[in-house]
Amino acid sequence: MEQKTKIKGKVHYVGVNDRTKALFEGLWPLPYGVSYNSYLIDDEKIALVDTVDICYFEVFLHKIRSVIGDRPIDYLIINHMEPDHSGSLSLIKQYYPNITIVGNKQTFGMVEGFYGITGEQLLIKNADPLDLGYHKLRFYLTPMVHWPETMMTFDETEGIIFSGDGFGAFGTLDGGFIDTRMNTDIFWEEMIRYYSNIVGKYGSAVQKALEKLAPLNITTICSTHGPVWTEQRGKVIDLYDRLSRYEGEEGVVIVYGTMYGNTEQMAEAIALELSAQGIKNIVLHNVNKSHSSYIISDIFKYKGLIIGSATYCNELYPEIGSLLPKILLRDMKNRYLGYFGSFCWSSAALRRMNEFAEKSKFEIVGEPVDMKISMDDLIYSQCENMGKAMADRLKQDRETSQD
Ligand SMILES: Cc1cc2nc3c(=O)[nH]c(=O)nc-3n(C[C@H](O)[C@H](O)[C@H](O)COP(=O)(O)O)c2cc1C
Ligand SMILES: [Fe+2]
Ligand SMILES: [Fe+2]
């Protein structure tokens, strides 16, 4: 019987599922959990590609032994040093003392820094090969997808790209791990949320990596998180390509910070007008309830962004105040921005929003609206104007995309 761990050729899946952690990197909620994927190539020379979070070492070791028994591992290829993947490195070294660590010149300083393991072992440069027997590997340096040492390993024999965090998604692998043997529905949204929050700042690095990969005949994507992609690999590459070019779909995210609901009425008025103008993708986020990772994810998805904030102690509403730097941090491009504020005795939120608008690279759409205390006819029509201006701007792009 063929081993259930097998992917293709002599490559096996030996990753683990984490259904315990509440927040990935201490920041990102994991409603569907997360997998730490590792791959074992059981060839004439045996190679392990990345490890897993240290909490899962026992499970990991058991999986490795179910494939190779007591035989030693020749190489540990480190595509990425973030501890969700390198966490089991020093234990692997204890169990397999003769293993050769394969990395680039950025890798070994981190191996020493994190784990006290010194010395370069097998230092590779971009496009260097490694022959395992049947599988012929080649390494591609892809710095900043997600860290400076990040690289990808391509198996030229079977067309498998071991892509590190690239093409990763949140979500555990429940049963099957190959896209053809599972329901992949949840992974698309979780891929956007993973990409936008974790890799999102490094769009140009992802574009460079995609250029390097373009000539390769890829049949299978083995990322460090989420499914192994075979049949649906085209959709995955296309999604990463669009996200890393900051190319949004037609649609608007309206994020607002409110205590008593007056600012929310402005958001509702804008949304109603957008809908009346024929915009279908409209997402409202009350910043008190939506975790920022979902808001950032939707901002990556849609071209239109409208932000509103009540004034709070002569400042932005605190949760909006913490969201704006998260948006700036990700260096997003090609977005249309509208904004509004509210106050009771002295306006401050709108002033801060003006500052944000200047710092962002976004195209400002419509006239900012500032509301004193509560909605009246004038403010309502100003909100409608903002909705109309945003809808018009988005519809203008429809026309250019048809040309
Ligand atoms: C804790 C707190 C602090 C506030 N600070 C200010 C302020 O510094 N300046 C001001 O004009 N209004 C201030 N307000 C009033 C609100 O900004 C104003 O009523 C706004 O319209 C509330 O919008 P909301 O109903 O969406 O929460 C404050 C309200 C609260 C509850
Ligand atoms: Fe990472
Ligand atoms: Fe990772």
Side-chain angles (χ1 to χ4, degrees):
M1 194 186 81
E2 194 162 86
Q3 284 164 292
K4 289 188 190 124
T5 50
K6 189 167 162 183
I7 297 175
K8 215 175 188 193
K10 296 169 191 295
V11 179
H12 294 261
Y13 180 85
V14 289
V16 299
N17 290 305
D18 186 342
R19 300 185 186 86
T20 307
K21 190 173 266 122
L23 298 173
F24 186 76
E25 293 182 347
L27 290 164
W28 319 112
L30 294 171
Y32 302 105
V34 66
S35 71
Y36 311 116
N37 299 342
S38 168
Y39 303 94
L40 188 63
I41 310 174
D42 183 13
D43 209 335
E44 284 165 34
K45 293 279 181 191
I46 299 178
L48 184 63
V49 185
D50 291 308
T51 75
V52 301
D53 189 294
I54 192 167
C55 302
Y56 294 88
F57 180 73
E58 288 286 348
V59 181
F60 181 46
L61 186 64
H62 185 79
K63 287 197 171 192
I64 291 172
R65 287 184 165 162
S66 78
V67 179
I68 58 167
D70 291 334
R71 284 179 287 143
I73 304 174
D74 298 286
Y75 298 107
L76 169 57
I77 296 167
I78 301 183
N79 283 331
H80 184 24
M81 274 301 295
E82 192 170 358
D84 53 333
H85 310 297
S86 71
S88 295
L89 200 156
S90 51
L91 284 169
I92 282 289
K93 185 89 180 125
Q94 275 178 39
Y95 280 81
Y96 299 96
N98 297 322
I99 201 166
T100 299
I101 301 177
V102 183
N104 58 73
K105 73 175 190 313
Q106 302 278 349
T107 316
F108 291 103
M110 293 190 192
V111 172
E112 182 173 355
F114 278 107
Y115 305 106
I117 296 168
T118 51
E120 288 164 2
Q121 301 201 352
L122 181 56
L123 177 70
I124 58 91
K125 297 186 301 303
N126 189 59
D128 277 358
L130 180 67
D131 191 343
L132 300 179
Y134 173 72
H135 289 275
K136 318 282 182 210
L137 307 182
R138 197 173 293 281
F139 302 103
Y140 292 93
L141 304 193
T142 53
M144 300 320 297
V145 183
H146 162 226
W147 279 13
E149 86 301 357
T150 312
M151 63 183 200
M152 296 191 187
T153 302
F154 185 57
D155 165 30
E156 296 181 333
T157 312
E158 292 283 358
I160 303 171
I161 187 82
F162 299 97
S163 59
D165 281 346
F167 311 115
F170 293 131
T172 51
L173 303 177
D174 297 352
F177 48 82
I178 299 184
D179 59 355
T180 48
R181 288 193 227 141
M182 61 198 294
N183 182 334
T184 57
D185 289 356
I186 65 135
F187 290 100
W188 302 107
E189 286 297 318
E190 286 297 82
M191 185 175 283
I192 299 174
R193 196 165 66 91
Y194 177 86
Y195 174 83
S196 54
N197 287 283
I198 301 205
V199 192
K201 181 177 171 55
Y202 306 112
S204 60
V206 175
Q207 280 294 309
K208 281 191 194 125
L210 290 173
E211 276 167 33
K212 265 189 194 172
L213 302 187
L216 309 182
N217 185 12
I218 295 172
T219 63
T220 308
I221 300 173
C222 287
S223 160
T224 45
H225 301 287
V228 169
W229 298 103
T230 59
E231 274 183 6
Q232 298 180 74
R233 67 189 184 282
K235 189 172 166 186
V236 172
I237 294 172
D238 184 56
L239 182 58
Y240 259 71
D241 182 38
R242 274 189 290 123
L243 291 169
S244 58
R245 281 189 281 113
Y246 301 95
E247 198 181 274
E249 292 170 43
E250 181 183 294
V252 184
V253 184
I254 307 179
V255 193
Y256 57 93
T258 181
M259 292 160 278
Y260 296 105
N262 292 290
T263 315
E264 183 173 48
Q265 291 312 308
M266 303 173 81
E268 293 278 12
I270 295 166
L272 198 60
E273 184 60 24
L274 278 164
S275 165
Q277 293 292 333
I279 303 300
K280 287 190 181 159
N281 293 318
I282 304 169
V283 187
L284 271 77
H285 281 292
N286 179 337
V287 80
N288 302 333
K289 181 150 183 258
S290 299
H291 186 274
S292 67
S293 66
Y294 291 88
I295 303 174
I296 296 286
S297 190
D298 281 334
I299 298 174
F300 265 78
K301 221 161 135 182
Y302 298 119
K303 266 190 268 189
L305 170 62
I306 300 181
I307 307 180
S309 175
T311 297
Y312 182 96
C313 298
N314 215 26
E315 266 299 338
L316 284 169
Y317 186 69
E319 300 306 324
I320 292 289
S322 81
L323 177 70
L324 300 187
K326 289 176 192 166
I327 297 171
L328 292 177
L329 179 82
R330 286 171 176 76
D331 258 339
M332 298 190 60
K333 296 162 187 76
N334 313 327
R335 291 295 177 278
Y336 307 132
L337 174 71
Y339 54 99
F340 58 95
S342 75
F343 64 101
C344 182
W345 58 91
S346 158
S347 166
L350 203 76
R351 206 172 55 233
R352 292 282 182 237
M353 293 292 309
N354 282 328
E355 291 164 11
F356 165 77
E358 268 177 38
K359 280 190 212 153
S360 75
K361 299 188 177 84
F362 304 150
E363 178 181 329
I364 309 302
V365 170
E367 275 298 308
V369 186
D370 206 9
M371 178 176 83
K372 182 163 178 170
I373 303 180
S374 65
M375 184 68 83
D376 59 17
D377 290 349
L378 178 64
I379 295 291
Y380 195 88
S381 67
Q382 289 174 349
C383 289
E384 283 181 323
N385 290 343
M386 175 170 297
K388 170 126 192 349
M390 183 62 86
D392 286 348
R393 186 64 191 87
L394 291 169
K395 286 194 272 188
Q396 214 178 307
D397 286 351
R398 274 186 203 170
E399 284 152 23
T400 44
S401 67
Q402 277 165 8
D403 290 345

Tab-separated table of all heavy atoms in Angstrom, residues 257-264 310-315 342-347 371-374, ligand 1:
chain	number	residue	atom	x	y	z
A	257	GLY	N	-14.978	53.813	13.856
A	257	GLY	CA	-14.843	53.691	15.309
A	257	GLY	C	-15.936	54.512	15.966
A	257	GLY	O	-16.054	55.718	15.732
A	258	THR	N	-16.754	53.851	16.773
A	258	THR	CA	-17.920	54.510	17.367
A	258	THR	C	-18.120	54.029	18.800
A	258	THR	O	-17.773	52.907	19.130
A	258	THR	CB	-19.189	54.185	16.535
A	258	THR	OG1	-20.310	54.846	17.102
A	258	THR	CG2	-19.481	52.689	16.509
A	259	MET	N	-18.650	54.902	19.634
A	259	MET	CA	-19.023	54.484	20.988
A	259	MET	C	-20.528	54.307	21.091
A	259	MET	O	-21.035	53.320	21.593
A	259	MET	CB	-18.546	55.528	22.001
A	259	MET	CG	-17.035	55.586	22.114
A	259	MET	SD	-16.420	57.135	22.835
A	259	MET	CE	-16.451	58.210	21.401
A	260	TYR	N	-21.267	55.291	20.571
A	260	TYR	CA	-22.724	55.298	20.746
A	260	TYR	C	-23.510	55.212	19.441
A	260	TYR	O	-24.714	55.368	19.440
A	260	TYR	CB	-23.141	56.528	21.557
A	260	TYR	CG	-22.571	56.470	22.959
A	260	TYR	CD1	-21.497	57.259	23.330
A	260	TYR	CD2	-23.083	55.555	23.891
A	260	TYR	CE1	-20.948	57.176	24.602
A	260	TYR	CE2	-22.534	55.450	25.146
A	260	TYR	CZ	-21.476	56.260	25.519
A	260	TYR	OH	-20.942	56.148	26.760
A	261	GLY	N	-22.810	55.014	18.335
A	261	GLY	CA	-23.517	54.713	17.086
A	261	GLY	C	-23.743	55.874	16.144
A	261	GLY	O	-24.235	55.677	15.041
A	262	ASN	N	-23.413	57.107	16.567
A	262	ASN	CA	-23.640	58.239	15.652
A	262	ASN	C	-22.716	58.172	14.435
A	262	ASN	O	-23.146	58.398	13.296
A	262	ASN	CB	-23.459	59.565	16.394
A	262	ASN	CG	-24.553	59.775	17.409
A	262	ASN	OD1	-25.708	60.000	17.051
A	262	ASN	ND2	-24.228	59.647	18.692
A	263	THR	N	-21.459	57.840	14.680
A	263	THR	CA	-20.504	57.730	13.575
A	263	THR	C	-20.902	56.570	12.659
A	263	THR	O	-20.729	56.637	11.436
A	263	THR	CB	-19.083	57.518	14.145
A	263	THR	OG1	-18.899	58.448	15.217
A	263	THR	CG2	-18.024	57.755	13.106
A	264	GLU	N	-21.470	55.549	13.253
A	264	GLU	CA	-21.922	54.402	12.462
A	264	GLU	C	-23.005	54.811	11.460
A	264	GLU	O	-23.062	54.290	10.346
A	264	GLU	CB	-22.479	53.327	13.407
A	264	GLU	CG	-22.918	52.071	12.694
A	264	GLU	CD	-23.303	50.970	13.677
A	264	GLU	OE1	-24.074	51.265	14.614
A	264	GLU	OE2	-22.820	49.851	13.514
A	310	ALA	N	-15.018	58.680	15.519
A	310	ALA	CA	-15.495	59.649	16.506
A	310	ALA	C	-14.272	60.298	17.154
A	310	ALA	O	-13.187	59.712	17.171
A	310	ALA	CB	-16.316	58.934	17.572
A	311	THR	N	-14.444	61.507	17.668
A	311	THR	CA	-13.369	62.153	18.429
A	311	THR	C	-13.403	61.619	19.863
A	311	THR	O	-14.468	61.503	20.469
A	311	THR	CB	-13.554	63.675	18.425
A	311	THR	OG1	-13.456	64.125	17.067
A	311	THR	CG2	-12.503	64.380	19.269
A	312	TYR	N	-12.226	61.333	20.377
A	312	TYR	CA	-12.123	60.708	21.702
A	312	TYR	C	-10.973	61.385	22.436
A	312	TYR	O	-9.820	61.293	22.009
A	312	TYR	CB	-11.856	59.215	21.524
A	312	TYR	CG	-11.766	58.424	22.804
A	312	TYR	CD1	-12.877	57.743	23.300
A	312	TYR	CD2	-10.566	58.344	23.498
A	312	TYR	CE1	-12.797	56.997	24.463
A	312	TYR	CE2	-10.470	57.596	24.664
A	312	TYR	CZ	-11.590	56.930	25.139
A	312	TYR	OH	-11.507	56.182	26.287
A	313	CYS	N	-11.293	62.120	23.506
A	313	CYS	CA	-10.258	62.834	24.279
A	313	CYS	C	-9.339	63.627	23.370
A	313	CYS	O	-8.105	63.521	23.435
A	313	CYS	CB	-9.457	61.863	25.148
A	313	CYS	SG	-10.491	61.031	26.356
A	314	ASN	N	-9.969	64.365	22.475
A	314	ASN	CA	-9.247	65.233	21.545
A	314	ASN	C	-8.311	64.468	20.607
A	314	ASN	O	-7.307	65.000	20.142
A	314	ASN	CB	-8.452	66.287	22.327
A	314	ASN	CG	-8.418	67.601	21.574
A	314	ASN	OD1	-9.310	67.894	20.771
A	314	ASN	ND2	-7.385	68.388	21.794
A	315	GLU	N	-8.662	63.253	20.345
A	315	GLU	CA	-7.850	62.385	19.482
A	315	GLU	C	-8.774	61.527	18.620
A	315	GLU	O	-9.994	61.598	18.743
A	315	GLU	CB	-6.982	61.453	20.354
A	315	GLU	CG	-5.579	61.970	20.625
A	315	GLU	CD	-4.759	62.154	19.341
A	315	GLU	OE1	-5.092	61.513	18.320
A	315	GLU	OE2	-3.811	62.953	19.350
A	342	SER	N	-16.443	62.568	13.593
A	342	SER	CA	-17.534	63.164	14.371
A	342	SER	C	-16.977	63.689	15.686
A	342	SER	O	-15.880	63.315	16.106
A	342	SER	CB	-18.636	62.140	14.623
A	342	SER	OG	-18.212	61.230	15.622
A	343	PHE	N	-17.728	64.576	16.298
A	343	PHE	CA	-17.275	65.182	17.563
A	343	PHE	C	-18.497	65.765	18.266
A	343	PHE	O	-19.592	65.799	17.695
A	343	PHE	CB	-16.238	66.282	17.311
A	343	PHE	CG	-16.787	67.462	16.545
A	343	PHE	CD1	-17.153	68.633	17.198
A	343	PHE	CD2	-16.955	67.390	15.167
A	343	PHE	CE1	-17.677	69.709	16.491
A	343	PHE	CE2	-17.472	68.468	14.453
A	343	PHE	CZ	-17.834	69.628	15.120
A	344	CYS	N	-18.283	66.222	19.505
A	344	CYS	CA	-19.385	66.845	20.223
A	344	CYS	C	-19.099	68.326	20.470
A	344	CYS	O	-19.923	69.177	20.218
A	344	CYS	CB	-19.615	66.128	21.552
A	344	CYS	SG	-20.997	66.776	22.485
A	345	TRP	N	-17.902	68.640	20.990
A	345	TRP	CA	-17.620	70.049	21.288
A	345	TRP	C	-16.432	70.616	20.513
A	345	TRP	O	-16.374	71.789	20.265
A	345	TRP	CB	-17.442	70.258	22.790
A	345	TRP	CG	-16.353	69.441	23.453
A	345	TRP	CD1	-15.065	69.827	23.624
A	345	TRP	CD2	-16.474	68.138	24.036
A	345	TRP	NE1	-14.375	68.836	24.277
A	345	TRP	CE2	-15.217	67.791	24.557
A	345	TRP	CE3	-17.532	67.235	24.185
A	345	TRP	CZ2	-14.970	66.575	25.202
A	345	TRP	CZ3	-17.280	66.025	24.830
A	345	TRP	CH2	-16.009	65.703	25.331
A	346	SER	N	-15.461	69.777	20.112
A	346	SER	CA	-14.333	70.321	19.360
A	346	SER	C	-13.742	69.215	18.491
A	346	SER	O	-13.316	68.173	19.000
A	346	SER	CB	-13.303	70.863	20.366
A	346	SER	OG	-12.043	70.920	19.783
A	347	SER	N	-13.745	69.423	17.201
A	347	SER	CA	-13.347	68.364	16.264
A	347	SER	C	-11.859	68.056	16.349
A	347	SER	O	-11.033	68.971	16.352
A	347	SER	CB	-13.701	68.822	14.847
A	347	SER	OG	-13.080	68.016	13.907
A	371	MET	N	-18.997	65.559	11.368
A	371	MET	CA	-20.343	65.692	11.916
A	371	MET	C	-20.303	66.137	13.375
A	371	MET	O	-19.573	65.567	14.179
A	371	MET	CB	-21.050	64.328	11.839
A	371	MET	CG	-22.449	64.321	12.433
A	371	MET	SD	-23.253	62.730	12.214
A	371	MET	CE	-22.567	61.833	13.589
A	372	LYS	N	-21.105	67.142	13.701
A	372	LYS	CA	-21.243	67.555	15.096
A	372	LYS	C	-22.419	66.809	15.735
A	372	LYS	O	-23.558	66.952	15.295
A	372	LYS	CB	-21.449	69.067	15.175
A	372	LYS	CG	-21.558	69.539	16.598
A	372	LYS	CD	-21.363	71.031	16.751
A	372	LYS	CE	-21.542	71.329	18.226
A	372	LYS	NZ	-21.198	72.615	18.653
A	373	ILE	N	-22.134	66.007	16.690
A	373	ILE	CA	-23.074	65.266	17.543
A	373	ILE	C	-23.913	64.204	16.803
A	373	ILE	O	-23.794	63.027	17.090
A	373	ILE	CB	-23.975	66.197	18.363
A	373	ILE	CG1	-23.092	67.134	19.202
A	373	ILE	CG2	-24.899	65.376	19.285
A	373	ILE	CD1	-23.840	68.118	20.073
A	374	SER	N	-24.776	64.618	15.910
A	374	SER	CA	-25.617	63.577	15.301
A	374	SER	C	-26.003	63.953	13.880
A	374	SER	O	-25.789	65.083	13.439
A	374	SER	CB	-26.869	63.336	16.156
A	374	SER	OG	-27.654	64.501	16.157
B	1	LIG	C1	-14.772	59.089	26.481
B	1	LIG	C2	-15.217	60.126	25.476
B	1	LIG	C3	-14.337	61.116	25.093
B	1	LIG	C4	-14.731	62.110	24.186
B	1	LIG	N1	-13.854	63.068	23.831
B	1	LIG	C5	-14.279	64.068	22.995
B	1	LIG	C6	-13.430	65.155	22.647
B	1	LIG	O1	-12.277	65.223	23.111
B	1	LIG	N2	-13.887	66.126	21.810
B	1	LIG	C7	-15.158	66.095	21.310
B	1	LIG	O2	-15.548	66.970	20.538
B	1	LIG	N3	-16.011	65.056	21.594
B	1	LIG	C8	-15.584	64.065	22.428
B	1	LIG	N4	-16.440	63.045	22.734
B	1	LIG	C9	-17.792	63.040	22.142
B	1	LIG	C10	-17.870	62.177	20.889
B	1	LIG	O3	-16.770	62.340	20.018
B	1	LIG	C11	-19.093	62.537	20.086
B	1	LIG	O4	-20.245	62.468	20.902
B	1	LIG	C12	-19.248	61.617	18.877
B	1	LIG	O5	-20.285	62.089	18.048
B	1	LIG	C13	-19.568	60.211	19.371
B	1	LIG	O6	-19.796	59.394	18.270
B	1	LIG	P1	-20.435	57.952	18.459
B	1	LIG	O7	-21.873	58.095	18.816
B	1	LIG	O8	-20.204	57.343	17.089
B	1	LIG	O9	-19.656	57.238	19.522
B	1	LIG	C14	-16.039	62.076	23.651
B	1	LIG	C15	-16.925	61.049	24.032
B	1	LIG	C16	-16.514	60.087	24.942
B	1	LIG	C17	-17.491	59.006	25.337
